[in-house]
Amino acid sequence: MILLASSLEHRQNTWLTRSCLLRHPTLSKICFSRGIPVTTSIMSFSQEVVPLVVFTCTYYTGTTDLRYQQCLETLQAASTNSIPIVVVDGSPSDDVHQGLSQTGAIVCKETAGGGKGSALREAALNAAEKVPGVTEHTLLCWQEPEKTGMIRLWKEILPQI
């Protein structure tokens, strides 16, 4: 939950809040889009900080594609290991999109168009904005969707970073 308090009530927090907003683009967009001045104090409560989010993009011709089956295994492994994963899917089949969504991953239809580069940028942005608990300290980690074995390695390398 985000609590907004006027800077008139909390003048001592104005500088700190302004610098936090400038470093956190999602909070900045929320405040500016709602007409809230930058000098507003923002405090978060009851939100667990997420240490990492994996993001990827997909494009499969149908549910019989072997790569699609491997991707499902990857998304299920992420769910089993409590690793949030965001997928931007450009597949033409709604069956593919629906199957990906049933794994517990955050799955979004590709809107940018323009190929894999655009899809990856969109996935990174979604990872930063759609996963609760993401902060400026959260690692946004890209991986190929068919590399199931990589999921277990994210938690192994996290303590070393």
Side-chain angles (χ1 to χ4, degrees):
M1 174 172 66
I2 296 176
L3 172 69
L4 300 174
S6 168
S7 63
L8 296 173
E9 298 168 358
H10 302 284
R11 289 184 193 272
Q12 69 275 16
N13 293 332
T14 300
W15 179 86
L16 177 63
T17 302
R18 183 177 293 147
S19 67
C20 290
L21 280 172
L22 293 175
R23 284 184 288 154
H24 199 296
T26 302
L27 289 179
S28 183
K29 285 180 191 174
I30 290 170
C31 288
F32 290 126
S33 69
R34 296 193 177 142
I36 300 169
V38 178
T39 57
T40 300
S41 178
I42 296 181
M43 300 182 296
S44 296
F45 298 102
S46 301
Q47 188 175 50
E48 185 179 331
V49 174
V50 176
L52 72 92
V53 176
V54 174
F55 67 93
T56 193
C57 61
T58 58
Y59 183 95
Y60 304 113
T61 56
T63 57
T64 58
D65 188 331
L66 178 59
R67 291 173 47 248
Y68 168 76
Q69 298 299 323
Q70 291 173 317
C71 178
L72 289 178
E73 289 178 21
T74 301
L75 300 181
Q76 289 164 349
S79 179
T80 299
N81 286 285
S82 301
I83 296 175
I85 188 163
V86 175
V87 180
V88 168
D89 178 48
S91 304
S93 169
D94 286 336
D95 291 339
V96 169
H97 184 78
Q98 187 176 37
L100 296 173
S101 298
Q102 291 175 351
T103 62
I106 297 173
V107 182
C108 309
K109 275 286 196 188
E110 182 180 350
T111 60
K116 186 173 181 177
S118 297
L120 285 174
R121 284 188 292 278
E122 189 174 342
L125 183 62
N126 287 340
E129 293 182 343
K130 295 190 180 216
V131 178
V134 170
T135 70
E136 65 272 5
H137 301 291
T138 301
L139 300 174
L140 300 179
C141 307
W142 171 79
Q143 84 166 57
E144 291 287 347
E146 298 88 10
K147 308 293 190 240
T148 305
M150 184 67 194
I151 289 294
R152 68 179 168 74
L153 299 176
W154 289 119
K155 285 205 170 179
E156 288 180 24
I157 64 166
L158 191 59
Q160 299 171 21
I161 297 176

